Amino acid sequence: MPEHEPQKPEEVLAERLNTLLDVVAAEGGHRYTFPDIKKAVEDRGLHISRQRWHYMRAGTGPMTPDTDLLEALADFFGVPAAFLTNADAETPARVAAQLDLLRAMREAEVKSFAARSLTSDLSPELLLEIRNIIDETLTKQKREDRPAS
């Protein structure tokens, strides 16, 4: 299996910004909008345009060299600045925990959906077999998602 090309720094930043936005929403907060981001940045005496925010979230523009802006965004999201400024930075524990929770919730949704969709027409034996296949697939996916030690 050929290895994929490493992500560009602007793609890593986009992935991390979008992850932070998802984590905040998963923690029960409201989904941040551009005006929320703009206000937080302006409170630090900096500026961000809607277009620049879009490019940063999409990973399609050049990597921003503005470390002050990245530090302001990191403070806003409550993560170490290195998470946004250093492509090799570790995922903060809070973010990793929320991502694990989101994965578990998705798994539960898959199982619940399968159970609701299939229970009316299938035998109990076949339902157990399907559940086992889902469990095995999810377990395999978890192993593949873990970083190599």
Side-chain angles (χ1 to χ4, degrees):
M1 174 191 284
E3 289 188 34
H4 56 75
E5 292 183 34
Q7 288 182 305
K8 296 176 187 173
E10 58 271 19
E11 293 170 336
V12 172
L13 176 62
E15 184 176 288
R16 291 180 179 183
L17 288 171
N18 288 309
T19 296
L20 290 171
L21 289 165
D22 290 343
V23 164
V24 168
E27 289 177 334
H30 77 285
R31 288 205 172 269
Y32 287 128
T33 61
F34 173 71
D36 297 324
I37 302 299
K38 182 175 176 136
K39 180 177 180 336
V41 168
E42 287 177 348
D43 287 350
R44 296 276 299 256
L46 303 168
H47 174 75
I48 186 169
S49 67
R50 184 177 297 275
Q51 183 176 17
R52 186 174 196 187
W53 177 243
H54 170 76
Y55 289 137
M56 289 172 71
R57 286 199 53 210
T60 55
M63 179 62 184
T64 182
D66 189 344
T67 54
D68 289 339
L69 174 61
L70 295 175
E71 288 173 2
L73 290 169
D75 284 348
F76 177 71
F77 287 108
V79 296
F83 184 62
L84 298 180
T85 60
N86 180 355
D88 297 326
E90 294 279 324
T91 301
R94 182 186 113 240
V95 173
Q98 282 296 336
L99 290 174
D100 287 343
L101 176 61
L102 288 173
R103 274 189 211 102
M105 290 169 59
R106 283 190 198 117
E107 289 172 12
E109 280 183 42
V110 167
K111 290 178 186 180
S112 176
F113 173 78
R116 285 191 317 270
S117 299
L118 302 173
T119 54
S120 61
D121 298 332
L122 302 177
S123 70
E125 295 81 16
L126 188 53
L127 288 172
L128 286 173
E129 190 173 328
I130 291 170
R131 187 203 64 197
N132 290 339
I133 290 169
I134 292 171
D135 286 343
E136 288 171 17
T137 302
L138 293 173
T139 300
K140 180 181 176 192
Q141 183 66 42
K142 282 182 190 174
R143 280 194 304 268
E144 291 172 358
D145 287 347
R146 279 192 208 126
S149 309

